Amino acid sequence: MDLQEIRDRIEIADVLTRYTRAIDTGDWDKLDTVFTPDASIDYSESGGIIASYPEIKPWLAEMLPMFFSKRMHMLGQIEVDLHGDEADVVAYFHNPMLMDDGQGGQKVVEIGGLYHHTMIRTPDGWRSRQLHEECVWRRNI
């Protein structure tokens, strides 16, 4: 592994971290440093929509806080398959969230799965041009 590949892998891991931190904290503008303007995103397996990034960003800002008062991602087993200025990236995720339990309290719901990104190198660094969220398991939903 040469120095450029090591650097690319670190930068790609940083993109994944920025994505999860943006979602967890509600810092929706941080997503601009994750996705290309024309990115396509598929949240259909978790009950969401399939749309372009310009449609997804306001949808996330509206829907996630409505259903989940707190969100907390954990990532693991990041696989990066580099092809020059493109990369296929798969990352395991575990996402516990707080949700209204319908009885005046809250319950923890969880989703575990895989994030499948197609990333490209841009003048501003690595960005995702495609994301498919694959749900492998759910709890309390």
Side-chain angles (χ1 to χ4, degrees):
M1 195 177 311
D2 66 15
L3 190 56
Q4 184 61 52
E5 183 175 350
I6 293 168
R7 181 179 173 167
D8 289 340
R9 289 174 177 279
I10 291 169
E11 289 179 10
I12 288 168
D14 285 348
V15 172
L16 296 171
T17 299
R18 284 197 309 272
Y19 169 74
T20 58
R21 292 290 297 144
I23 296 294
D24 293 347
T25 64
D27 185 356
W28 311 114
D29 288 335
K30 186 179 276 192
L31 292 173
D32 297 342
T33 70
V34 172
F35 294 104
T36 61
D38 63 343
S40 62
I41 302 167
D42 179 350
Y43 290 126
S44 61
E45 289 189 37
S46 61
I49 63 173
I50 302 170
S52 66
Y53 175 60
E55 297 168 90
I56 287 286
K57 183 179 173 183
W59 179 82
L60 288 170
E62 178 184 355
M63 300 306 286
L64 285 183
M66 185 184 312
F67 291 102
F68 307 109
S69 60
K70 300 283 182 186
R71 301 166 298 278
M72 187 176 138
H73 276 84
M74 295 185 338
L75 294 173
Q77 295 191 10
I78 299 169
E79 178 183 39
V80 177
D81 187 11
L82 287 165
H83 313 282
D85 291 338
E86 296 186 11
D88 295 314
V89 180
V90 179
Y92 284 42
F93 74 87
H94 175 216
N95 188 13
M97 301 170 282
L98 285 179
M99 182 179 202
D100 184 345
D101 68 1
Q103 300 173 5
Q106 294 186 317
K107 66 179 181 176
V108 176
V109 298
E110 297 174 90
I111 299 176
L114 302 160
Y115 288 130
H116 299 270
H117 286 272
T118 302
M119 294 200 185
I120 61 168
R121 187 190 321 269
T122 74
D124 296 321
W126 285 93
R127 298 292 185 267
S128 178
R129 72 172 176 200
Q130 184 174 16
L131 167 61
H132 171 234
E133 180 185 76
E134 177 186 354
C135 291
V136 176
W137 58 270
R138 302 166 199 232
R139 188 179 317 179
N140 288 335
I141 293 181

